[in-house]
Amino acid sequence: MAEEPADYPIIDSHIHLYPASEVETLAWYEPSNPLHGQHSLNEYTTATGSPSSFDGFIFLETDRKHDLKSGVKDGTGWTFPLMEVDWLKRIALGTPKAGEGHTAEQKKLCLAIVPWAPVPSGAEAMLERLKSMLRGALEKSGGLDIWSKISRRGQCCKMSSLRD
């Protein structure tokens, strides 16, 4: 007996994706790992069959390599987690690069992003460094629209605080 499509919306509340070009930035990466290689939105939608009731997903960070001390000092230790946010921005805004495994049309599927955060560095250091880096990155890229997916309507940080 064939399964009937769900007549209710489906939201995948916890997925991890990454392009092949960034697997070396994953803290747990080894070529022998069964998760070696690209795990993109195209692979995900193929594997799930993209049911018509699928509304989208909530992305959770994939544990990129980082260094908390240099991150607090000058931001250099957070390069790879911020690279992940930049890749997710391209998914959410529908601006893919060739080979990344997503299309402009798939942007509607990215409902929320839970990025990596340097929590062990303390709230003040984390907030100040992230505000500075996000402000610069968002202004440079014109990606202020992505903030609503990271903060979910400003619940974790008010957009006005990024402008301060």
Side-chain angles (χ1 to χ4, degrees):
M1 175 186 222
E3 283 191 39
E4 301 268 334
D7 62 351
Y8 48 85
I10 297 171
I11 296 174
D12 190 334
S13 63
H14 184 138
I15 69 168
H16 304 281
L17 303 170
Y18 43 90
S21 61
E22 296 180 13
V23 294
E24 296 284 338
T25 71
L26 299 167
W28 49 266
Y29 170 80
E30 291 181 17
S32 61
N33 190 300
L35 296 175
H36 167 73
Q38 179 159 287
H39 290 275
S40 70
L41 196 47
N42 287 344
E43 281 89 6
Y44 175 82
T45 55
T46 298
T48 60
S50 297
S52 59
S53 58
F54 180 60
D55 278 4
F57 62 86
I58 298 170
F59 175 89
L60 273 71
E61 58 88 18
T62 58
D63 193 19
R64 300 288 179 117
K65 294 175 185 174
H66 59 276
D67 178 336
L68 293 172
K69 287 181 183 178
S70 62
V72 170
K73 181 180 173 188
D74 61 11
T76 58
W78 300 343
T79 299
F80 296 138
L82 291 172
M83 183 185 291
E84 179 174 61
V85 170
D86 193 49
W87 178 67
L88 290 163
K89 178 190 74 178
R90 291 191 297 276
I91 291 175
L93 296 177
T95 56
K97 286 184 180 177
E100 286 189 329
H102 60 99
T103 67
E105 296 76 29
Q106 291 170 323
K107 71 180 183 179
K108 67 180 188 263
L109 298 176
C110 183
L111 302 178
I113 298 168
V114 180
W116 174 87
V119 175
S121 298
E124 188 65 31
M126 181 176 78
L127 185 58
E128 287 309 309
R129 177 58 57 193
L130 287 177
K131 280 172 44 175
S132 172
M133 288 186 290
L134 282 170
R135 184 183 317 113
L138 293 173
E139 287 172 358
K140 181 177 102 176
S141 68
L144 290 174
D145 293 341
I146 192 67
W147 187 248
S148 67
K149 293 189 183 213
I150 294 173
S151 68
R152 294 311 296 157
R153 297 185 198 111
Q155 292 174 2
C156 76
C157 295
K158 298 288 184 212
M159 188 64 201
S160 61
S161 72
L162 282 178
R163 294 185 180 123
D164 295 339

